[in-house]
């Protein structure tokens, strides 16, 4: 046996020992998270299942696996893993936030009776996430959207949303103005909604704020203003992350500027800033659908294959491949 071969075997033996003594779990959780952010769902699933077989109490691994399933629209497995994450780390705000999202996904695909029952769980988990970490602005934004959309019977209400916006204002002014805009839009106070979306942009000039304003103009059928603000949002996103995908999705739903949408999706897929906010396998699928619409079936098939290589169990990709 050569010296290099001996070292290779020793290295693997040490990794095996470290894994089962629990001292290597942090690094492996980090690596699994990196796979999730890159959209490599099959690899992330295999790694996390191996981790959890060795350490069933690893709450972070349960949360990551929940997010892997959530990204693939697998409601029940996502709920199971997020419930396990909460059970092992009940004071972790993000665990409750992701559990609320998983419940919300299942509710959106359930019968009215089941959806009503799940809505209460969505509400309570989002509120608990905010209580555990008042700095969790994602959870605050989520619960704010819930208050706007849900009836009082299941914990919704515009008064609650208004009170939350006031709490958010000192530290998160852009998100506070966004919530006020959603409240005004729900009340059909369109000029006020527009003003608040503009205030959200002024408060931070973030890519997301521009994209939200562009989306508002799309809903108002003001397509020139939509395009202007989407382009401003793209320009503001120097990392070329998920706002590009949001902009492309809005353009596609508005049946506007398909070549720009295609360019934005390709830029995102080439970026190191990919995340599970816009899973890469879904973006490949989205790009494939756009290429189909614009008369490039060969390019579309290539994107469907790329999507399948990342998440082979995602049903919409399988259907797209069969039809391409």
């Amino acid at each position: 046996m050569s010296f290099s071969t001996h070292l290779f075997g020793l290295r693997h033996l040490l990794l095996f020992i470290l894994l089962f003594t629990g001292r290597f779990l942090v690094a492996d959780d980090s690596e699994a998270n990196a796979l999730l952010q890159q959209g490599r769902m099959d690899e992330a699933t295999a790694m996390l299942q191996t981790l959890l077989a060795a350490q069933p109490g690893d709450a972070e691994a349960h949360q990551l696996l929940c997010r892997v399933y959530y990204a693939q629209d697998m409601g029940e497995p996502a709920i199971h893993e997020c419930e396990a994450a909460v059970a092992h780390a009940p004071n972790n705000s993000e665990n409750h936030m992701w559990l609320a999202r998983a419940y919300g996904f299942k509710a959106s695909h359930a019968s009215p009776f089941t959806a009503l029952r799940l809505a209460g769980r969505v509400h309570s988990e989002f509120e608990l996430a905010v209580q555990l970490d008042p700095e969790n602005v994602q959870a605050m934004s989520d619960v704010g959207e819930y208050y706007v959309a849900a009836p009082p019977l299941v914990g919704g209400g515009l008064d609650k949303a208004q009170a939350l916006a006031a709490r958010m204002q000192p530290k998160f002014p852009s998100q506070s103005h966004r919530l006020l805009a959603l409240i005004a839009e729900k009340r059909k106070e369109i000029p006020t909604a527009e003003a608040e979306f503009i205030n959200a942009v002024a408060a931070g000039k973030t890519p997301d704020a521009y994209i939200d304003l562009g989306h508002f103009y799309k809903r108002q059928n003001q397509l020139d203003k939509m395009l202007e603000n989407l382009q401003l949002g793209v320009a503001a996103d120097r990392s070329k992350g998920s706002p590009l995908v949001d902009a492309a999705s809005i353009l596609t739903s508005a049946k506007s500027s398909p070549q720009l949408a295609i360019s934005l999706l390709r830029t995102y897929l080439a970026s190191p800033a990919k995340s599970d906010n816009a899973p890469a396998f879904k973006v490949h699928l989205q790009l494939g659908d756009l290429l189909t619409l614009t008369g490039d079936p060969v390019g579309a098939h290539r994107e469907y294959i790329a999507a399948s290589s990342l998440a082979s169990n995602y049903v919409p990709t399988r259907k797209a491949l069969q039809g391409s």
Side-chain angles (χ1 to χ4, degrees):
M1 178 185 293
S2 70
F3 180 67
S4 61
T5 303
H6 173 74
L7 282 180
F8 180 81
L10 179 59
R11 206 159 40 234
H12 275 262
L13 176 61
L14 288 172
L15 287 176
F16 179 84
I17 293 170
L18 287 168
L19 173 64
F20 282 92
T21 58
R23 292 186 312 209
F24 196 63
L25 285 173
V26 173
D28 278 342
D29 283 343
S30 177
E31 186 175 353
N33 184 44
L35 292 172
L36 168 64
Q37 301 311 311
Q38 294 162 20
R40 295 158 62 182
M41 298 301 166
D42 290 347
E43 293 173 75
T45 301
M47 178 174 287
L48 288 164
Q49 287 175 341
T50 300
L51 274 172
L52 289 169
Q55 290 287 336
D58 184 355
E60 183 178 356
H62 281 295
Q63 187 214 98
L64 290 171
L65 189 53
C66 167
R67 291 163 64 180
V68 167
Y69 289 137
Y70 179 87
Q72 297 174 88
D73 302 339
M74 300 178 180
E76 287 290 352
I79 288 172
H80 175 77
E81 293 302 328
C82 267
E83 286 179 339
V86 165
H88 291 295
N91 294 323
N92 182 293
S93 173
E94 287 207 351
N95 289 344
H96 290 278
M97 180 184 75
W98 280 103
L99 179 56
R101 291 175 175 179
Y103 283 143
F105 176 83
K106 182 177 178 180
S108 69
H109 295 78
S111 67
F113 178 79
T114 301
L116 188 66
R117 176 174 55 83
L118 286 168
R121 297 183 185 178
V122 174
H123 170 233
S124 62
E125 291 297 329
F126 272 143
E127 289 205 331
L128 187 52
V130 174
Q131 289 169 17
L132 288 169
D133 181 7
E135 302 291 309
N136 187 342
V137 68
Q138 288 185 322
M140 295 177 85
S141 295
D142 283 354
V143 76
E145 289 187 30
Y146 181 89
Y147 289 152
V148 171
L153 177 65
V154 289
L158 298 183
D159 290 345
K160 289 183 177 181
Q162 197 92 32
L164 177 61
R167 283 167 47 203
M168 295 170 73
Q169 178 63 35
K171 290 188 176 181
F172 309 108
S174 184
Q175 292 86 349
S176 173
H177 284 297
R178 176 182 181 272
L179 180 52
L180 290 172
L182 295 176
I183 293 167
E185 195 171 359
K186 181 75 170 184
R187 289 173 171 158
K188 303 190 185 304
E189 298 170 355
I190 301 305
T192 301
E194 180 180 16
E196 290 296 348
F197 277 121
I198 291 172
N199 287 339
V201 169
K205 298 191 182 301
T206 64
D208 288 331
Y210 282 114
I211 301 299
D212 283 331
L213 180 55
H215 199 189
F216 166 78
Y217 284 129
K218 186 265 177 184
R219 294 193 294 275
Q220 301 306 312
N221 202 32
Q222 298 184 50
L223 299 189
D224 288 344
K225 289 185 176 181
M226 173 201 75
L227 182 58
E228 176 188 355
N229 282 280
L230 294 181
Q231 289 174 325
L232 287 170
V234 168
D237 184 11
R238 296 182 180 179
S239 68
K240 306 306 175 190
S242 61
L244 273 65
V245 180
D246 293 336
S249 300
I250 295 166
L251 290 171
T252 301
S253 66
K255 298 181 180 179
S256 172
S257 307
Q259 293 305 321
L260 174 58
I262 288 170
S263 175
L264 292 175
L265 296 178
R266 284 177 168 157
T267 299
Y268 173 77
L269 288 169
S271 166
K274 292 187 289 294
S275 72
D276 62 333
N277 290 328
F281 70 95
K282 285 186 174 178
V283 178
H284 280 293
L285 177 60
Q286 184 177 347
L287 178 55
D289 289 345
L290 264 174
L291 291 172
T292 297
L293 288 173
T294 55
D296 184 3
V298 174
H301 186 74
R302 187 164 55 244
E303 295 301 327
Y304 296 148
I305 291 174
S308 181
S309 71
L310 297 173
S312 59
N313 294 318
Y314 189 55
V315 174
T317 299
R318 289 182 177 179
K319 290 181 178 179
L321 272 172
Q322 290 170 0
S324 65

